[in-house]
Amino acid sequence: MKIGNHADKPAPLNGAGSTSPAQEAAKAQESASAIPATADPSTTIALSSAASKLLDNESGADFDADKVARISQAIEDGTFKINADVIADKLIGNAKELLTKSVS
């Protein structure tokens, strides 16, 4: 299954899509640290706990860049295979887990 041809896509605006999520998080952290301590209170932001956790995850344990690159290449080449049985089994398993948690 081939999703699309990268040549058909317009160039990303402002460099979007040209960096990894880890690089974008690092840029965001650098930008946040560049805000002076005396900034106007109306311009300050507060990060959610999830966003803070992503920024603190320096090890990249939750992100396998090599795997993402392999999958991206397979999609680009048109060789990526989708195993519907595995997807269905995992969806059913997740649904069962959620239903079990909500009952308990």
Side-chain angles (χ1 to χ4, degrees), residues 8-9 29 33-34 43 45-46 49-51 53 55-56 58 65 70 74-76 80-81 87 101 104:
D8 295 339
K9 294 182 182 177
Q29 190 171 16
S33 64
T43 60
I45 60 167
S49 60
K53 187 177 178 182
L55 287 175
D56 291 340
E58 296 292 329
R70 286 191 312 269
I75 290 171
E76 217 171 285
F80 184 74
K81 302 289 184 222
I87 294 170
K101 285 182 181 179
S104 300

Side-chain angles (χ1 to χ4, degrees), residues 9 15 17-18 23 30-31 35 46 59 64 70 76 83 89:
K9 294 182 182 177
S18 61
Q23 291 169 328
E30 288 173 13
S31 297
I35 298 173
S59 68
D64 186 350
R70 286 191 312 269
E76 217 171 285
N83 189 337
D89 289 343

Side-chain angles (χ1 to χ4, degrees), residues 16 18 37 92 103:
S18 61
I92 291 169
V103 173

Side-chain angles (χ1 to χ4, degrees), residues 7 12 20 26-27 29 33 51 54 65-66 71 79-81 92 94-95 100:
S20 73
K27 285 181 185 178
Q29 190 171 16
S33 64
L54 285 172
D66 291 334
I71 292 171
T79 60
F80 184 74
K81 302 289 184 222
I92 291 169
N94 287 340
T100 304

